[in-house]
Amino acid sequence: VMPKLSSLKYLNYFESGSRAGDEMLEAVSEVLKNNMRSSDLTFKLNGADFLWSLNKASAADLLKVEQKLNAELLQNPKVKQILLNEQNAISAKIAEASKARNSALVLKLNEKLESVKNFKPDLNFRAMTRQEAQAAGSFQNILKKFDEKFK
């Protein structure tokens, strides 16, 4: 399974630059680890990607895990703090833009603020069977197959 966090596009802009996205990935990693079974394996790839090896998990099982992880992420104290920091930073930028009478920037920043306020982790899974992985051959080909599944 490759979990993807598509909501990172709402972060990395204000309070701590790209660090907010990195902190979000750390929170996701912690939530994944806390939900792993002893027989599961996880691999951190370059960038924002993970691979999670789940033995004997059906599509229905994966959907339940995906839903559970998304709910846990929203309740995670680190995630809440990241979002609060981003909201505060955006609000400060709005105040600056208002003071400078830059209504176009105020409008754009208000849209960003609403996106962060309505943040949903959007963690979703793409799965590959053992047979698909074996047919892919190399690890690089497996990663290419996963990338195709997200397009």
Side-chain angles (χ1 to χ4, degrees), residues 14-137:
F14 299 99
E15 173 59 24
S16 51
S18 63
R19 203 172 77 223
D22 292 341
E23 291 170 358
M24 184 65 74
L25 289 173
E26 288 174 16
V28 170
S29 179
E30 287 177 17
V31 169
L32 283 172
K33 287 177 185 174
N34 291 340
N35 283 278
M36 288 179 66
R37 303 169 300 185
S38 60
S39 61
D40 296 343
L41 297 173
T42 185
F43 307 91
K44 173 73 173 84
L45 306 173
N46 289 336
D49 293 330
F50 299 88
L51 283 181
W52 187 3
S53 176
L54 296 162
N55 246 350
K56 300 179 183 172
S58 69
D61 293 336
L62 290 178
L63 183 59
K64 287 178 190 173
V65 171
E66 185 180 291
Q67 291 168 341
K68 179 181 182 217
L69 293 177
N70 275 296
E72 281 187 31
L73 280 168
L74 281 176
Q75 298 306 314
N76 184 291
K78 288 181 181 181
V79 171
K80 287 181 177 183
Q81 188 61 53
I82 292 166
L83 296 175
L84 180 62
N85 291 347
E86 288 292 298
Q87 289 174 31
N88 290 338
I90 295 169
S91 294
K93 295 283 186 186
I94 290 170
E96 289 173 18
S98 293
K99 188 175 180 182
R101 299 182 197 271
N102 187 340
S103 58
L105 182 57
V106 169
L107 182 63
K108 182 179 176 183
L109 290 169
N110 273 317
E111 289 173 5
K112 292 275 185 205
L113 184 59
E114 283 305 307
S115 294
V116 174
K117 284 181 178 178
N118 297 313
F119 179 84
K120 290 185 179 31
D122 293 333
L123 181 68
N124 55 71
F125 292 167
R126 295 297 184 264
M128 184 181 294
T129 65
R130 182 184 310 259
Q131 292 80 9
E132 288 176 303
Q134 288 172 339

